[in-house]
Amino acid sequence: MKKWIALAVVVALAGTGAYLRFRSESAPTERYRFTKVDRGDVESVVSSTGTLSAVSTVQVGTQVSGSIARILVDFNEKVTRGQLLAVLDTTFLATAVRDAEASYERARSSYEHNEQEFQRLQPLFSKGMAAQTELDMAKFNRDQAKAGLKSAQAALDRARVNLRYAWIYAPIDGTVIDRKVDGGQTVAASLSAPTLFLIANDLSRMQILANVDESDIGQIANGQAVRFTVQAYPERRFTGTVAQIRLQPTTVQNVVNYTVVVNVDNPDGLLLPGMTATIEFLIARSEGVLRVANAALRFRPPASATATPGSGERTATTDSSRGRGSREGRSRGGEGRSGEGRGSEGRGSEGGGRGGAPDAMAAGGFGGRGAGRESSRLWFLDSTGALQSARVRTGVSDGQVTEIRTDELSEGQEVITGVVTAAATTTQSTSPLMNAGPPGMGGGGMGRGRGPGF
């Protein structure tokens, strides 16, 4: 009987050893991805889009109705102030002037007659030969005629001005960028002046009206340098300067934007009104500094990883002893709660999600733009293959790379950006003494331990 008991103990110990060996051989193998620290320029910019337009644009219209008799300018023609652009048909306008002149003559004759009548009654009234009522009536008629004369004079002046409006002149020096009418077309100026021409003052100086999000407007200031591109010349970069930040906001799809005016020189005439510009506002710039990819700043190694040198292959293997907590979590939770163990290191074995990374939150903002001046860590393998870290201070970032300041790293040194985990080939098996489910759940971080290891 004792022999059978001893044999059972030996079989149990052998099964347990085989199971533990199987778990150890099934541990994931971790291979790192690397990038090099290099030296170069880093710029922080705020991106936006806007529309090119002339600094000063005047809409030339007509204040009188009529048909277009002649058009003297066309698209893209340069004009000077006072130059004749178009002429309306003057037939009805000239007739209106003659009618106003006739009305004025009648009003003037009436006034002169009533003035003479008043002057005649004054001496007769002083001699008692005319009644007071007659003198008052003569004075009233004279005043009425005088007011009628002024009204006729105003109507005559208005008719003459309308006739002059039939000749349309350029109000400024510039270039005709739009012509909205053709010869013979009738225009009506009953409620508002119709636009006939659009004249840009000086196309050698233009402006961009850019929409900047409220989250970025605080980084924009007058005099700030701007560069932009247009689709017509995608390989060429143009420059400009912030001239104004307009205070009136606009809301587009619940996003508040502010209009920023950018002044642009256009000596070659390549930029045309209406072009869409892709703009970069230069916020900060560092030249000839050490820089590294932002992925390296965000990387944190798994808590269970230890570096081991390999033959030309940089890998890290999981220490089987580190999985003890998760296994204990499973074994201690075996009373109807397998897979929900509460071992001391259960949380720490979840691929290094939280354990062993004291600076896990240090690089939370390194993916953004701007000069954060924050402290972070970069991880690398030393000459023996051991995992090491270097503390750095970050500077200007363009969203892809970030300026770093450190005495522990040099140009060309490789730092870690990520981990490629390849799980070893496994076979489904169970230990004769374990009843807590498939072995894959023991070392895979499924435990939910909440002990001091977290």
Side-chain angles (χ1 to χ4, degrees):
M1 184 66 179
K2 293 181 179 180
K3 293 182 179 180
W4 288 106
I5 294 175
L7 181 60
V9 171
V10 171
V11 172
L13 292 176
T16 302
Y19 175 72
L20 294 178
R21 182 180 179 183
F22 171 81
R23 290 290 304 276
S24 176
E25 291 177 351
S26 300
T29 300
E30 294 170 342
R31 181 179 302 170
Y32 293 115
R33 294 191 298 268
F34 292 87
T35 187
K36 288 186 177 181
V37 176
D38 65 353
R39 187 175 296 275
D41 301 338
V42 183
E43 291 182 343
S44 175
V45 298
V46 170
S47 300
S48 179
T49 58
T51 304
L52 281 158
S53 62
V55 175
S56 177
T57 303
V58 178
Q59 294 180 349
V60 181
T62 175
Q63 300 187 49
V64 295
S65 301
S67 61
I68 304 295
R70 288 183 296 163
I71 292 182
L72 305 176
V73 295
D74 204 350
F75 292 94
N76 303 336
E77 286 192 22
K78 294 185 178 298
V79 296
T80 58
R81 183 176 181 178
Q83 180 178 338
L84 185 62
L85 305 179
V87 179
L88 299 179
D89 184 13
T90 61
T91 302
F92 294 103
L93 297 174
T95 301
V97 169
R98 291 193 295 270
D99 183 63
E101 289 175 344
S103 297
Y104 174 77
E105 292 297 330
R106 287 195 300 270
R108 186 171 62 83
S109 299
S110 177
Y111 170 72
E112 291 176 353
H113 171 73
N114 285 281
E115 176 66 23
Q116 292 175 358
E117 183 66 17
F118 177 72
Q119 295 297 333
R120 185 180 66 83
L121 288 176
Q122 271 189 328
L124 295 177
F125 174 76
S126 61
K127 295 178 181 180
M129 300 177 64
Q132 181 67 42
T133 55
E134 293 178 334
L135 182 62
D136 293 342
M137 181 57 69
K139 183 176 181 299
F140 173 75
N141 291 335
R142 185 202 61 178
D143 293 341
Q144 285 285 89
K146 185 176 181 180
L149 178 61
K150 290 182 178 180
S151 179
Q153 180 66 55
L156 177 59
D157 293 340
R158 183 168 56 251
R160 288 173 176 172
V161 169
N162 288 340
L163 179 60
R164 288 199 299 270
Y165 282 157
W167 286 265
I168 300 170
Y169 299 92
I172 60 172
D173 296 339
T175 304
V176 178
I177 60 176
D178 193 10
R179 175 174 62 82
K180 298 182 179 296
V181 293
D182 295 313
Q185 182 176 339
T186 300
V187 293
S190 56
L191 299 178
S192 60
T195 300
L196 306 183
F197 304 95
L198 189 63
I199 299 178
N201 185 16
D202 185 8
L203 293 182
S204 64
R205 295 183 63 253
M206 303 190 71
Q207 67 180 11
I208 303 174
L209 302 181
N211 291 324
V212 178
D213 188 272
E214 61 175 330
S215 61
D216 296 324
I217 196 64
Q219 303 179 76
I220 310 301
N222 289 340
Q224 193 168 7
V226 176
R227 62 174 177 241
F228 65 95
T229 59
V230 294
Q231 295 181 0
Y233 309 100
E235 303 300 326
R236 179 166 178 175
R237 283 191 173 185
F238 301 89
T239 59
T241 305
V242 175
Q244 184 184 56
I245 302 174
R246 295 182 179 175
L247 303 181
Q248 177 63 34
T250 58
T251 302
V252 180
Q253 296 181 351
N254 295 327
V255 177
V256 178
N257 295 288
Y258 292 86
T259 300
V260 178
V261 181
V262 179
N263 284 343
V264 177
D265 290 330
N266 186 29
D268 300 331
L270 299 178
L271 302 175
L272 304 178
M275 283 185 171
T276 300
T278 302
I279 310 165
E280 291 180 343
F281 297 90
L282 184 60
I283 306 302
R285 176 181 174 87
S286 295
E287 298 181 353
V289 296
L290 288 178
R291 60 186 186 179
V292 71
N294 287 355
L297 293 168
R298 292 191 293 266
F299 171 75
R300 291 297 175 266
S304 59
T306 57
T308 58
S311 57
E313 183 180 42
R314 297 174 178 177
T315 62
T317 59
T318 302
D319 188 351
S320 61
S321 64
R322 298 295 183 93
R324 183 182 66 256
S326 60
R327 291 198 296 273
E328 290 178 0
R330 291 188 67 257
S331 62
R332 294 177 183 177
E335 297 179 2
R337 301 181 63 184
S338 62
E340 295 187 6
R342 301 179 181 271
S344 62
E345 295 180 6
R347 282 295 276 276
S349 64
E350 294 179 23
R354 293 195 179 185
D359 299 313
M361 300 301 293
F366 295 112
R369 298 185 175 94
R373 307 298 181 202
E374 298 289 344
S375 177
S376 182
R377 282 185 183 273
L378 290 175
W379 298 83
F380 60 95
L381 300 182
D382 61 14
S383 58
T384 65
L387 187 63
Q388 302 290 339
S389 68
R391 186 171 291 276
V392 299
R393 293 190 65 82
T394 60
V396 179
S397 175
D398 63 1
Q400 300 295 326
V401 297
T402 299
E403 170 193 1
I404 59 172
R405 299 178 181 180
T406 180
D407 295 330
E408 303 179 50
L409 299 174
S410 59
E411 182 180 356
Q413 187 165 348
E414 289 187 333
V415 293
I416 301 173
T417 61
V419 176
V420 179
T421 302
T425 304
T426 60
T427 303
Q428 295 292 338
S429 63
T430 58
S431 171
L433 298 182
M434 301 295 291
N435 298 316
M441 295 181 65
M446 295 295 289
R448 295 169 59 186
R450 294 179 173 85
F454 174 68

